[in-house]
Every structure is written in C-alpha cells, then in structure tokens.
C-alpha cells in the first residue's frame, strides 16, 4: 500500500536481526574439542588425553570463540566460510640454533646457509574471507576438489621480510582472468572502483595448494606474487609441506543447494 504524501516511509532492516539471531544460536555452545583414542591401548588413551589438552590450549590462546563466530558470520552472509590451519615458521619465540647444536655461528651459517638466530614456529589458525578463496575444478564438490587458491593483499615490507626477496622487483598489478578478485585497496567512499587503482605498497600474494596425484605424489604448495615464485628457496620441490598431504583449508557451508557448489546464504533466502 502506497504511503500518503508528506509521510516518511519507515525502512526496517529485517535481515541483520535475523542473521544476528541465527549467529547467536549457532555459537551459543562453545566448542570443546576432544580427541578419541584409536585403540583401547593405554598408550593411545594417554596420547588422546594429551591431544585434547593441546587442542583446548590452542583454542583458548588463539581466541577460538571469536574465530568460530567469524567463520559462522561469513557462512551466514555469503553462504560459505573458510578456515586455514597451517604451520607458521615466523611465529613463536626466538632461539639460538648454533648454540643448541654446539656450533660456531659462522660455521652454522656455512653449513645450513641460514642465520643461527631463528624462530621456533607455531600453529597458525585463521579465518579466510570468502571472496579470497577459489577452488576447483568448477562444479566439483568440496570433498573432490583438486586445488585451492588463496589470494591476499600484503605490503611490500611483509613480502620482503617473509620471503627474503626484493619486493621492488614485483609488480603490484594483477591481470584479471575469468574471475575478478576484489582488493581492499579498491574500496573508496563511493564503493568499489570499476578499475583497480594500484597501490604502490600493496601486492597480491597467491598461495596455491594441490592434492596428491600420480604426477605430484606429495601434493603441491606454491606462493606466487608478481609472476614470481616466492617459496622455492624454502621448498625447492614446491611440494605440500605436511605429512598428511591434505590441503590445509576447511570449508563451512551454511546451506547446500543442488547443482550449486558455492551454496546459498541466509541473506539470499531472506531477500
């Protein structure tokens, strides 16, 4: 029914309250991880108990409740959420490796071709924006995926420090293919620009994982930026660094829809 003249039409947001209510319902029960023993052997029970303690520790120190809420929010609003669980060599405390193996620092550098002062490393658990994760081949189910591509915008300083490369050699431009990647630096007060406005300090880093196959029995892990492979120095064969050989990205789907691998969000259904 049309409003009478001179009367302000009330606009009520029906979507956000519904999303907030669903999110509160999905995250009401905090996650309490527990590892089950593989057998009835007493050693397995001890390993399971230790594994449970480790999971609960990481869930606490890495703010698991907040990450659980974030990935659920992505799934509710876009239909799908992603999390990556990887090992970060740059995390953790610093220790003197030469002193640990009782070697002279100069000899350590010559033998291992690296500095003896290195980081311990630690678990990295992050929620990935839905618009930055691509997987395929297109039309396949997530369980049947052959590869996953993660795109992220990083500063030149980050790329230089992490991959020990001169970032001035890398281009900040990205050639668009069939899919358009939305970059944070494209966001303006008026919205997202139609043409990418190159930020001289912003680089598009693409991390690619492929599962095991006959050609690559260990899988594949490649980090590319500006047309150059960044991780070959640390991983000469570019194979998956994890013994389990799996792609360390987890997908969380809100609502499966037949013949649609990207699912449907609650926002779509509410509209």
């Amino acid at each position: 029914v049309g409003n009478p003249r001179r009367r302000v039409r009330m606009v009520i947001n029906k979507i956000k309250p519904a999303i907030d209510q669903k999110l509160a319902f999905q995250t009401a029960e905090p996650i309490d991880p527990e590892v089950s023993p593989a057998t009835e052997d007493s050693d397995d029970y001890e390993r399971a108990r230790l594994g449970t303690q480790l999971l609960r520790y990481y869930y606490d120190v890495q703010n698991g409740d907040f990450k659980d809420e974030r990935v659920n929010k992505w799934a509710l609003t876009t239909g799908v959420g992603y999390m990556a669980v990887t090992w970060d060599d740059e995390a953790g405390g610093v220790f003197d490796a030469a002193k640990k193996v009782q070697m002279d620092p100069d000899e350590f550098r010559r033998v291992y071709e690296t500095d003896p002062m290195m980081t311990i490393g630690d678990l990295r658990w992050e929620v990935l924006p839905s618009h930055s994760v691509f997987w395929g081949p297109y039309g396949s189910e997530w369980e049947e995926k052959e590869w996953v591509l993660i795109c992220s915008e990083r500063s030149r300083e980050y790329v230089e420090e992490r991959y020990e490369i001169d970032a001035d050699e890398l281009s900040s431009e990205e050639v668009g293919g069939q899919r358009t990647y939305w970059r944070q630096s494209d966001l303006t007060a008026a919205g997202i620009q139609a043409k990418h406005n190159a930020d001289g300090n912003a680089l598009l880093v693409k991390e690619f994982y492929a599962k095991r196959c006959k050609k690559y029995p260990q899988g594949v892990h490649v980090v590319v930026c500006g047309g150059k492979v960044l991780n070959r120095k640390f991983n000469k064969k570019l194979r998956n660094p994890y013994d389990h050989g799996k792609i360390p990205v987890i997908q969380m789907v809100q609502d499966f829809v037949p013949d649609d691998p990207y699912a449907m969000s609650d926002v779509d259904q509410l509209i």
Side-chain angles (χ1 to χ4, degrees), residues 10 13 37 51 85 104 116 129 142 156 162 171 175 184 193-194 203 209 222 229 234 245:
M10 297 297 293
N13 189 340
V85 182
D104 179 75
W142 174 257
R156 289 181 180 272
R162 187 170 188 86
S171 169
V175 179
Q184 221 167 359
Q193 301 180 69
L203 297 171
Y209 286 96
V222 186
V229 177
F234 314 99

Side-chain angles (χ1 to χ4, degrees), residues 66-78:
F66 175 66
K67 290 176 179 176
D68 179 38
E69 183 177 329
R70 283 184 62 200
V71 74
N72 272 280
K73 192 69 171 283
W74 275 111
L76 282 164
T77 54
T78 68

Side-chain angles (χ1 to χ4, degrees), residues 152-190:
S152 57
E153 207 169 34
R154 301 290 187 182
S155 68
R156 289 181 180 272
E157 292 78 12
Y158 173 91
V159 174
E160 282 182 329
E161 183 177 343
R162 187 170 188 86
Y163 298 103
E164 300 178 10
I165 188 173
D166 184 2
D168 290 334
E169 300 176 7
L170 306 175
S171 169
S172 62
E173 289 295 337
E174 176 65 16
V175 179
Q178 294 181 345
R179 295 179 180 178
T180 302
Y181 174 70
W182 173 78
R183 300 177 66 166
Q184 221 167 359
S185 59
D186 294 337
L187 189 62
T188 66

Side-chain angles (χ1 to χ4, degrees), residues 25-269:
F25 174 76
Q26 289 185 177
T27 58
E29 286 288 331
I31 295 175
D32 185 21
E34 184 176 356
V35 179
S36 300
T39 67
E40 294 184 0
D41 186 75
S42 59
D43 288 342
D44 270 350
Y45 273 97
E46 190 61 27
R47 294 188 190 99
R49 186 183 66 82
L50 178 60
T52 299
Q53 290 178 346
L54 281 169
L55 283 174
R56 289 174 179 171
Y57 164 79
Y58 274 112
Y59 191 85
D60 186 36
V61 299
Q62 299 216 14
N63 204 356
D65 288 335
F66 175 66
K67 290 176 179 176
D68 179 38
E69 183 177 329
R70 283 184 62 200
V71 74
N72 272 280
K73 192 69 171 283
W74 275 111
L76 282 164
T77 54
T78 68
V80 63
Y82 296 95
M83 289 192 295
V85 182
T86 56
W87 182 261
D88 187 357
D89 292 328
E90 300 296 322
V94 179
F95 74 104
D96 190 340
K99 185 177 180 181
K100 188 75 173 177
V101 296
Q102 298 180 350
M103 288 177 65
D104 179 75
D106 293 333
E107 184 186 1
F108 185 93
R109 291 188 184 92
R110 181 179 59 80
V111 174
Y112 295 103
E113 298 180 351
T114 186
D115 193 87
M117 298 303 295
M118 55 182 63
T119 51
I120 297 172
D122 206 349
L123 193 71
R124 185 177 182 180
W125 174 23
E126 57 186 331
V127 177
L128 304 173
S130 296
H131 55 69
S132 69
V133 180
F134 307 96
W135 54 275
Y138 183 79
S140 63
E141 297 291 342
W142 174 257
E143 292 76 14
E144 300 170 352
K145 65 187 178 300
E146 296 176 11
W147 53 265
V148 172
L149 176 67
I150 307 167
C151 299
S152 57
E153 207 169 34
R154 301 290 187 182
S155 68
R156 289 181 180 272
E157 292 78 12
Y158 173 91
V159 174
E160 282 182 329
E161 183 177 343
R162 187 170 188 86
Y163 298 103
E164 300 178 10
I165 188 173
D166 184 2
D168 290 334
E169 300 176 7
L170 306 175
S171 169
S172 62
E173 289 295 337
E174 176 65 16
V175 179
Q178 294 181 345
R179 295 179 180 178
T180 302
Y181 174 70
W182 173 78
R183 300 177 66 166
Q184 221 167 359
S185 59
D186 294 337
L187 189 62
T188 66
I192 299 175
Q193 301 180 69
K195 185 179 180 182
H196 171 61
N197 181 25
D199 180 352
N201 194 46
L203 297 171
L204 188 61
V205 178
K206 294 173 284 186
E207 189 170 10
F208 178 83
Y209 286 96
K211 72 175 187 178
R212 292 173 174 173
C213 60
K214 287 184 178 179
K215 187 174 182 179
Y216 305 106
Q218 300 297 326
V220 178
H221 176 225
V222 186
V223 182
V224 178
C225 181
K228 291 190 176 183
V229 177
L230 302 182
N231 65 326
R232 191 180 294 278
K233 180 178 180 180
F234 314 99
N235 184 0
K236 292 182 180 180
K237 294 184 178 180
L238 300 178
R239 62 184 185 183
N240 191 325
Y242 305 109
D243 290 337
H244 54 61
K246 297 178 182 178
I247 298 173
V249 181
I250 301 163
Q251 185 192 65
M252 178 177 173
V253 172
Q254 182 61 28
D255 194 2
F256 284 103
V257 179
D259 202 31
D260 184 357
Y262 291 98
M264 177 179 281
S265 72
D266 277 35
V267 171
D268 292 330
Q269 297 186 44

